[in-house]
Amino acid sequence: PREVLFGNPTYSSPKLSPDGRYIAYLAPNPDNVLNVYVRPVDEKSAPTLTPRLVTQDKSRGIRSFRWAELPTTTTTSSSSQEEDRLYPLLYLQDHEGDENFHLWCVSLTDTALSSPTEDWTIPAARDLTPGDNVKASTLITNKRYPNELLVATNERDSSCFDMYRITNFQDETKMTKDMDAQNPGNVVGWGSEDESFEVRFSLVRNQDDSSNTLQVRKDSGSSWKQLIRFPYGEEGS
């Protein structure tokens, strides 16, 4: 039957939080739209907690999500003055199938995820890459820089993707967004160096022969240098 071939899965794409305490996964909400749910890994320590619906897409469904690195900052619980661990969750979603996927963030807290089910409220998601006809791509996180992320968007030029650094993305009042690498028009992929979390790799497409050239640079202030060229039909990593 068609619902077996084309229907939503019961569960899909399970992902552990960075500290291993929670597991997030895709599942249909009560309206049969794929959304993200979160539950504790150790159900014995929280036997009465049901999986928490943490996103509220009502149309096309969410297909791609991931945990962010756990930030070094904490928030204050609304019920006490104790510090509360943040669990940011990132996902991509477009609007009514327009294919302009934006990067969204849901800031979960340990207290909220551990609260009684009747007290649970789905948190509001924030659009980290707003704008008409803007599309996000190439999301990079780094455990050494948990309060930052790198994401490519075409907000400056719809024909290519620049790389942006978003800092304090968990907090709307402190968040900043700055261009980290501008696309000259022929870059089709970006990469970062792990230790510094700088954009130091780019993949350039040659329009004449469709070959790809991997470029590298010493740091964000240095010029790009060609490292290796891959003829059409060949790939490397």
Side-chain angles (χ1 to χ4, degrees):
R2 278 183 293 181
E3 59 267 23
V4 174
L5 294 175
F6 304 108
N8 287 327
T10 304
Y11 305 104
S12 177
S13 307
K15 294 179 175 65
L16 281 173
S17 62
D19 62 358
R21 292 191 60 200
Y22 296 97
I23 185 169
Y25 57 90
L26 296 176
N29 69 0
D31 296 322
N32 201 35
V33 179
L34 277 184
N35 275 270
V36 182
Y37 285 77
V38 172
R39 69 167 178 83
V41 171
D42 185 8
E43 291 187 325
K44 293 181 180 179
S45 63
T48 62
L49 293 180
T50 59
R52 303 298 170 88
L53 177 63
V54 301
T55 59
Q56 44 190 338
D57 187 81
K58 298 175 182 172
S59 179
R60 201 180 185 201
I62 295 171
R63 303 286 175 174
S64 176
F65 78 95
R66 65 187 295 181
W67 292 99
E69 300 297 336
L70 298 186
T72 55
T73 57
T74 56
T75 186
T76 302
S77 170
S78 59
S79 59
S80 70
Q81 294 302 310
E82 296 181 0
E83 291 187 337
D84 198 2
R85 167 65 73 180
L86 282 171
Y87 287 85
L89 192 138
L90 306 168
Y91 67 93
L92 292 170
Q93 186 57 294
D94 66 352
H95 177 68
E96 300 293 346
D98 64 2
E99 299 295 328
N100 290 320
F101 287 89
H102 287 204
L103 178 64
W104 296 80
C105 177
V106 176
S107 292
L108 309 171
T109 65
D110 195 29
T111 296
L113 290 171
S114 303
S115 64
T117 303
E118 59 271 17
D119 295 336
W120 174 252
T121 300
I122 301 175
R126 292 185 297 107
D127 188 355
L128 302 184
T129 55
D132 294 336
N133 300 316
V134 171
K135 186 173 183 177
S137 175
T138 317
L139 172 62
I140 306 176
T141 60
N142 188 310
K143 64 182 180 181
R144 294 184 175 87
Y145 299 83
N147 296 322
E148 301 178 11
L149 59 83
L150 292 169
V151 61
T153 81
N154 64 345
E155 60 188 81
R156 180 188 63 86
D157 183 341
S158 61
S159 66
C160 60
F161 288 81
D162 304 312
M163 206 64 167
Y164 290 84
R165 183 179 303 273
I166 303 179
T167 305
N168 296 320
F169 58 92
Q170 315 92 340
D171 188 339
E172 186 176 13
T173 63
K174 298 179 180 179
M175 189 183 83
T176 61
K177 180 182 174 186
D178 301 290
M179 185 185 293
D180 219 64
Q182 182 170 318
N183 195 329
N186 58 353
V187 174
V188 295
W190 299 101
S192 68
E193 192 272 331
D194 188 63
E195 191 73 28
S196 65
F197 200 35
E198 292 182 332
V199 178
R200 291 175 55 183
F201 310 95
S202 66
L203 190 65
V204 174
R205 176 72 48 81
N206 187 322
Q207 298 300 325
D208 295 330
D209 60 7
S210 295
S211 63
N212 292 322
T213 300
L214 180 63
Q215 296 187 144
V216 297
R217 61 181 180 178
K218 185 177 180 180
D219 52 48
S220 59
S222 301
S223 300
W224 292 99
K225 295 182 178 180
Q226 295 186 3
L227 181 63
I228 188 171
R229 174 180 172 274
F230 301 102
Y232 173 73
E234 295 186 14
E235 297 182 358
S237 60

